[in-house]
Amino acid sequence: MNFTNDKAIYIQMADRLCDEILAGTYKDDDRIPSVREYAVMLQVNTNTAVKAYDQLARDGIIYNKRGLGYFVTAGAKKEIKKVRKQEFMKQTLPELFRQMKLLDITIEDIQKVWQQQ
């Protein structure tokens, strides 16, 4: 995984795990890789992976079964979508609309491109 400088690495790791849940790699109550496994997979320090998992557990996305590992919380996919939609509406759309105005891009232009996808 290539990390960027705009967010802490543990947040980027948590985002990646959320992306994997959204993509269906992990479903409700599926076991996810252990902290160590995920740290090795992404080539980061185990403490960084611990922080990512702790954040996801606090957010209710994953839960720990003592001695068995971490699992995806039922309804996690729905919760991730809800939070990400809110972030998109508050952060991404205003900048997108600003750029559209500056470049004279209309909603119709966007619809054409959307339909070609």
Side-chain angles (χ1 to χ4, degrees), residues 10-58:
Y10 81 94
I11 293 174
Q12 293 178 64
M13 290 178 67
D15 286 346
R16 177 187 165 136
L17 198 49
C18 286
D19 289 347
E20 291 171 343
I21 292 169
L22 289 174
T25 305
Y26 305 110
K27 296 175 180 37
D28 289 355
D29 296 312
D30 278 356
R31 184 182 178 282
I32 60 173
S34 71
V35 170
R36 255 193 205 124
E37 290 168 341
Y38 213 57
V40 168
M41 189 185 321
L42 300 181
Q43 300 177 334
V44 299
N45 185 294
T46 304
N47 292 331
T48 305
V50 167
K51 284 178 75 172
Y53 277 47
D54 285 347
Q55 182 65 50
L56 290 169
R58 278 193 304 274

Side-chain angles (χ1 to χ4, degrees), residues 62-112:
I62 62 174
Y63 64 95
N64 188 7
K65 282 188 183 177
R66 193 174 195 98
L68 296 176
Y70 284 93
F71 295 80
V72 177
T73 302
K77 186 174 184 175
K78 184 178 178 181
E79 182 63 24
I80 294 166
K81 280 186 179 182
K82 183 180 106 181
V83 169
R84 289 206 175 167
K85 282 181 183 181
Q86 289 171 347
E87 289 173 358
F88 182 83
M89 296 297 192
K90 288 181 181 177
Q91 296 170 2
T92 305
L93 272 184
E95 176 59 19
L96 177 67
F97 290 152
R98 187 181 79 75
Q99 289 292 324
M100 287 173 65
K101 285 180 183 177
L102 289 172
L103 300 172
D104 293 324
I105 297 173
T106 66
I107 292 295
E108 291 78 21
D109 295 332
I110 299 296
Q111 286 175 326
K112 286 177 192 172

